[in-house]
Amino acid sequence: MITVDVDGEVIQNEIGYVQAGEEHLKSEIVRIDRNTVFMQVFEDTKGVRVGDEVEFTDRMLSVELGPGLLSMVYDGLQNPLNELAENYGFFMERGAIVDSLDRSEKWEFTPTAEVGDTVEAADKLGHVPEGIFEHPIFVPFRMSGEYTVESIADPGEYTIEETIAEVSDEHGQTHELNMYFRWPVKEAIDLYDQQQVPHEPMITQTRIIDSFFPVAKGGTYCIPGPFGSGKTVLQQVTSRFAEVDVVVIAACGERAGEVVETIQEFPELEDPRTGKSLMERTIIICNTSSMPVAARESSVYTAVTLGEYYRQLGLDVLLLADSTSRWAQAMRELSGRLEEIPGEEAFPAYLESRIAQFYERAGYVELGNGENGSLTIGGTVSPAGGNFEEPVTQSTLKVVGAFHGLSRDRANQRRYPAIHPLDSWTKYSGMIDDEKIQVGRDILEKGDEVNQMMKVVGEEGTTLEDYIIYLKSEFLDNVYLQQDSFDNIEGRTSLQRQKYVYGLIVEILEADFDLEDKANARDFFNRLRQMFTDLNYTRMEPEEERDSDEIIKTKEFQEQEDEIMSFIEEHLADA
């Protein structure tokens, strides 16, 4: 934190550069008090002295928006890490700044606007191909009022800095437009006709989420859990198999080794939709715990702004923030340097409102051209000791639409995903009938009660009926709520398969079985569990029929299903 005497006008969140010798250190205004401003510096301030000059830019902390964002790895200030590594080696120089978008790459531009057209902010002038998408070239979002197109570039290859259109405003002043523009990260992009209530489920192909705790496109959810409970793996699986167009990962404050693993693995992962690298539709914002704290605080805003931009393209975007606890800790450090009155556990008093403002930038929107786009935000929380009563978790639970609470006990028992089925909840509707889901929840609750009782009186102190309920709850947990994320078949369960297999399981949960004693019941459910486990690893639909509305089963799946049904019928009690 530095204090600067200002001669002239400045604005909140304006960027300035501290002139420390030959270095220019990027800083942001966080408080203005008459002619004195307080600035957070995004670099180490070693060598900065009283009397050094600060050059202001008349521009707030912003990101560059345009073609070329996909597949990039940025830091919290949108500096491309690969470019920094090439230019400066393993140890970055202080004050190093690199263009966020490649100025030399040429894009195949196809104009759609014509001379004489009237356009305004967020209208399309043309488009360029970017991976599997058609990337529109917009009238910059900050331009207000209506403009007339005076000229438009012919089809061909252009860099993002070349002029592709000229427009004139109502005063006759001409403006040259190119393929990119800037947008302040702490201001939401709201150039849409209306925001709708999220209603369409975002299919993740993780059974416990889609069936029991679904998330809607444009909704919000959080994944709190202690260290080692599988938060990062669950996020990586979600980013790979979720039915969304673009994934933005904000690694804000996590350990460097964990982030490096993500950066190394994503280019190697195959995108199930395209067969190409998953990285081609992913953006990673990387600001680890060893990088500047001030930049960590900005990293989530950088990530959500990029997500809003691709939503404006009419795409479904998923933003995964890992972890918002580290972001909140960065806010706590900044608040302490400003000598603000602390709140609970020394977090700033405005912690709750800042978290709410972040999650409120999610949404399912209708754009001006009639298309729909969505930005879904999922944030992990890392409460110390797994204590969900701490301020960051509680503030997050007040604003999100779904809570996927990870359990230390389930993780220790190797039950993955370690989402606790009794503690978690959702406000969104799923694609499976609520009545069937309630059957499963009731069995899980009753089974947990019997399990708690058995810890006191032992298995011998329970009745056969109660023991069967416990075995049914364990059966549901083992064959449906748990999932092998590293298997190509078991790791991605289509919605059609979830509906069908869960329907079979509900029939078992509601059935009465003729079982002589507890040993016989245990043997029966152990064998049934193994048969269903084998079924989970068997392809149900041919790959080309995965998205079909009809139930189309492979021969191997049908044979195993017939074997299971025959085994069940042998043990059914008489009506």
Side-chain angles (χ1 to χ4, degrees):
M1 184 70 63
I2 59 173
T3 306
V4 182
D5 289 332
V6 178
D7 180 17
E9 295 183 352
V10 293
I11 56 176
Q12 183 75 4
N13 301 122
E14 183 176 347
I15 291 298
Y17 289 91
V18 182
Q19 313 296 319
E22 298 295 325
E23 298 172 324
H24 302 266
L25 308 183
K26 193 172 186 177
S27 314
E28 178 189 15
I29 295 177
V30 292
R31 180 190 288 174
I32 301 176
D33 184 9
R34 297 184 178 86
N35 292 331
T36 302
V37 300
F38 298 85
M39 305 184 71
Q40 61 174 351
V41 186
F42 296 116
E43 303 275 7
D44 179 19
T45 54
K46 182 178 180 181
V48 176
R49 297 176 297 179
V50 174
D52 285 346
E53 293 188 356
V54 178
E55 178 184 347
F56 291 96
T57 62
D58 295 326
R59 187 175 68 233
M60 292 189 289
L61 182 63
S62 306
V63 291
E64 293 181 353
L65 302 176
L69 292 169
L70 294 182
S71 77
M72 295 298 293
V73 180
Y74 294 112
D75 68 3
L77 303 175
Q78 209 195 9
N79 293 309
L81 293 182
N82 291 335
E83 293 291 327
L84 287 174
E86 289 180 8
N87 294 344
Y88 301 102
F90 290 107
F91 300 98
M92 294 186 297
E93 293 184 10
R94 190 173 62 164
I97 296 177
V98 179
D99 291 329
S100 303
L101 297 174
D102 191 339
R103 301 300 200 258
S104 61
E105 183 176 0
K106 294 195 172 230
W107 300 87
E108 187 66 37
F109 175 70
T110 301
T112 55
E114 298 179 352
V115 174
D117 287 351
T118 300
V119 295
E120 55 186 16
D123 282 348
K124 298 177 182 178
L125 300 171
H127 55 81
V128 299
E130 184 183 19
I132 61 174
F133 305 112
E134 189 179 86
H135 191 122
I137 303 302
F138 293 110
V139 175
F141 295 167
R142 301 292 287 179
M143 298 181 70
S144 60
E146 293 186 343
Y147 298 82
T148 302
V149 177
E150 301 293 342
S151 67
I152 189 79
D154 296 327
E157 293 186 344
Y158 302 88
T159 64
I160 62 171
E161 288 189 308
E162 293 185 71
T163 301
I164 52 97
E166 291 184 348
V167 298
S168 58
D169 57 26
E170 57 185 6
H171 303 294
Q173 185 176 356
T174 301
H175 304 265
E176 294 184 350
L177 307 182
N178 48 34
M179 293 191 192
Y180 79 104
F181 55 90
R182 291 183 172 274
W183 183 268
V185 296
K186 294 184 179 177
E187 184 176 329
I189 299 176
D190 56 0
L191 299 172
Y192 45 79
D193 278 3
Q194 61 177 335
Q195 184 168 344
Q196 302 176 0
V197 176
H199 60 279
E200 181 182 346
M202 180 190 73
I203 307 304
T204 66
Q205 303 197 65
T206 299
R207 292 189 294 260
I208 188 172
I209 295 178
D210 293 341
S211 299
F212 282 76
F213 311 108
V215 177
K217 288 183 178 179
T220 56
Y221 68 102
C222 70
I223 310 174
F227 173 78
S229 58
K231 297 187 295 294
T232 302
V233 172
L234 182 57
Q235 280 202 332
Q236 291 189 13
V237 171
T238 304
S239 63
R240 184 180 184 188
F241 295 127
E243 295 182 1
V244 294
D245 299 312
V246 174
V247 178
V248 182
I249 297 177
C252 48
E254 285 301 294
R255 292 170 293 113
E258 194 172 284
V259 176
V260 168
E261 183 179 330
T262 300
I263 296 173
Q264 290 176 337
E265 285 187 359
F266 263 64
E268 304 298 327
L269 294 177
E270 180 180 307
D271 184 356
R273 296 177 54 185
T274 64
K276 300 179 181 179
S277 169
L278 181 64
M279 196 66 196
E280 291 190 11
R281 60 181 182 91
T282 302
I283 306 172
I284 298 178
I285 308 298
C286 170
N287 213 97
T288 66
S289 56
S290 58
M291 298 170 77
V293 173
R296 185 197 312 171
E297 191 265 341
S298 302
S299 60
V300 294
Y301 295 109
T302 298
V304 75
T305 304
L306 299 182
E308 288 175 326
Y309 175 67
Y310 275 95
R311 179 181 64 183
Q312 197 68 30
L313 272 62
L315 301 177
D316 294 320
V317 184
L318 173 62
L319 167 60
L320 299 172
D322 186 16
S323 106
T324 55
S325 293
R326 309 288 180 257
W327 168 52
Q329 289 168 7
M331 280 194 288
R332 179 168 62 185
E333 291 194 32
L334 173 61
S335 175
R337 292 169 187 168
L338 288 172
E339 300 180 356
E340 296 173 336
I341 298 176
E344 187 178 357
E345 294 189 17
F347 285 104
Y350 48 79
L351 173 68
E352 188 173 314
S353 63
R354 287 286 177 87
I355 291 176
Q357 289 169 4
F358 168 64
Y359 281 101
E360 282 171 358
R361 294 177 69 166
Y364 187 90
V365 302
E366 180 180 333
L367 304 174
N369 56 7
E371 297 179 356
N372 292 318
S374 68
L375 172 59
T376 308
I377 298 180
T380 67
V381 187
S382 304
N387 175 25
F388 290 176
E389 300 302 318
E390 58 89 39
V392 180
T393 304
Q394 288 300 309
S395 298
T396 303
L397 290 180
K398 293 178 182 179
V399 297
V400 296
F403 166 65
H404 300 162
L406 300 184
S407 164
R408 164 64 69 190
D409 291 339
R410 288 182 65 84
N412 290 341
Q413 295 166 7
R414 299 297 184 263
R415 300 188 181 210
Y416 292 108
I419 298 173
H420 199 294
L422 300 181
D423 293 342
S424 304
W425 49 261
T426 183
K427 299 177 183 177
Y428 304 114
S429 299
M431 300 297 287
I432 299 180
D433 293 339
D434 291 339
E435 294 80 6
K436 290 185 177 181
I437 295 300
Q438 192 59 46
V439 171
R441 287 177 176 160
D442 290 342
I443 287 291
L444 291 170
E445 290 176 359
K446 293 176 182 177
D448 182 65
E449 292 174 2
V450 175
N451 184 35
Q452 298 301 323
M453 182 174 61
M454 287 196 300
K455 290 179 180 179
V456 178
V457 301
E459 184 180 311
E460 300 79 8
T462 60
T463 64
L464 177 60
E465 291 75 13
D466 284 346
Y467 190 62
I468 289 176
I469 290 176
Y470 165 71
L471 291 175
K472 284 182 176 180
S473 70
E474 285 293 291
F475 166 74
L476 171 60
D477 194 338
N478 281 279
V479 305
Y480 199 78
L481 302 187
Q482 297 176 48
Q483 195 166 346
D484 181 358
S485 300
F486 299 98
D487 184 81
N488 288 331
I489 297 175
E490 161 77 340
R492 49 184 297 228
T493 306
S494 68
L495 186 60
Q496 289 295 337
R497 178 166 184 153
Q498 290 185 46
K499 288 181 179 180
Y500 187 79
V501 173
Y502 186 71
L504 298 178
I505 292 175
V506 168
E507 292 181 15
I508 295 172
L509 299 180
E510 294 181 324
D512 293 325
F513 296 102
D514 183 13
L515 303 170
E516 298 176 0
D517 52 30
K518 293 175 183 175
N520 183 250
R522 187 164 50 246
D523 291 341
F524 169 75
F525 277 99
N526 282 341
R527 185 175 174 188
L528 188 61
R529 180 186 63 187
Q530 186 59 54
M531 296 171 75
F532 257 90
T533 300
D534 294 340
L535 190 72
N536 285 338
Y537 285 90
T538 303
R539 190 178 300 280
M540 177 181 170
E541 322 98 316
E543 190 66 27
E544 63 274 9
E545 302 291 347
R546 277 183 59 87
D547 298 326
S548 173
D549 292 334
E550 300 180 15
I551 301 297
I552 302 174
K553 294 180 282 189
T554 62
K555 179 181 178 182
E556 294 82 0
F557 186 92
Q558 186 64 64
E559 290 176 350
Q560 291 194 34
E561 182 187 347
D562 292 342
E563 182 182 355
I564 291 173
M565 299 311 293
S566 298
F567 177 70
I568 292 174
E569 290 173 0
E570 292 175 6
H571 294 81
L572 285 176
D574 294 333

